Amino acid sequence: MMSYPIPSRTWSLFAGLAVLAGLLVSPQDAVAQTDNVLITKHNLSMLSGGNDPTVGDNLVDYGEVCVYCHTPHTGSISAPLWNRNFSSATYNMYDANHSSTIDMNVDAQPSGTSLACLSCHDGTIGLDVVVNAPNSYAGGVPGSTPGTNTMPASSNALLDTDLRNDHPISVVYDPGQDPAFNAVASVRAAGVKLFVDPTSLGEKVQCASCHNPHNNTNSPLLRVNNSGSSLCLTCHIK
């Protein structure tokens, strides 16, 4: 079979069509991710039974994946069917008392879904301390003994209770108060989530605004790839 060279003009046409196809993909399609908590560090069942000696006395093996965070019944309404108690700690917040550049409202203490994240990441409650163990589990649930099976001190994921060295959370995202921030619609279209808190007005930046706890496509569990500071620039105009 004879083959014929493809004229350079035809290659140019193909290239142009490829660029056009890329432009026609919506922003939401561009950031679409497939969740799979099984292959993330939030699959705590992989740390149970002595599989990770860095975690205290080793986590209780409940024989399930989701139970370490969620329960189908009597879960907290502050986070999606949350199966953990929230910490009683008092947090130092990254707010106007700490930074003169913040001009959006920050809650006095963490709120909403950030409380759920901090119930593990502040290091005050054991990672395997749940409210409801699964029916298939016959053992006991450990108590909230400080320092037992908590987030390892060596982990970069340990935030502790002083949040002044971390990105502000529980802050109302209001570009009207600061022109150096993009519009809410633009932020959503890029893939960052804002959360409605039933206890106060406004849509808030919480831990899960930037992090997807069920997906590690963009490590570390980022909703948007941060190459070239793309995630930061989703909100901040710099």
Side-chain angles (χ1 to χ4, degrees), residues 81-112:
L81 294 171
W82 201 242
N83 197 25
R84 298 175 54 80
N85 290 315
F86 297 137
S87 174
S88 59
T90 299
Y91 298 88
N92 291 318
M93 300 292 286
Y94 192 129
D95 55 19
N97 295 319
H98 173 62
S99 172
S100 61
T101 62
I102 290 186
D103 44 19
M104 297 182 187
N105 295 328
V106 182
D107 291 339
Q109 289 290 287
S111 61

Side-chain angles (χ1 to χ4, degrees), residues 46-77:
M46 295 298 294
L47 304 181
S48 63
N51 290 327
D52 189 341
T54 66
V55 183
D57 299 323
N58 302 311
L59 304 187
V60 172
D61 186 356
Y62 292 113
E64 296 185 13
V65 176
C66 302
V67 70
Y68 292 91
C69 294
H70 300 287
T71 179
H73 302 290
T74 65
S76 170
I77 61 174

Side-chain angles (χ1 to χ4, degrees), residues 141-219:
V141 175
S144 300
T145 303
T148 302
N149 290 346
T150 54
M151 185 74 68
S154 60
S155 173
N156 291 330
L158 176 63
L159 303 180
D160 67 50
T161 59
D162 189 346
L163 305 179
R164 293 173 297 180
N165 59 349
D166 301 292
H167 189 284
I169 57 169
S170 303
V171 52
V172 176
Y173 188 81
D174 184 3
Q177 290 188 307
D178 192 332
F181 285 82
N182 288 309
V184 169
S186 173
V187 168
R188 285 182 183 150
V192 169
K193 292 192 68 172
L194 299 174
F195 292 85
V196 175
D197 183 349
T199 64
S200 61
L201 297 175
E203 294 179 278
K204 296 181 180 178
V205 174
Q206 302 285 15
C207 301
S209 293
C210 295
H211 296 280
N212 181 348
H214 301 135
N215 190 295
N216 199 37
T217 299
N218 302 312
S219 182

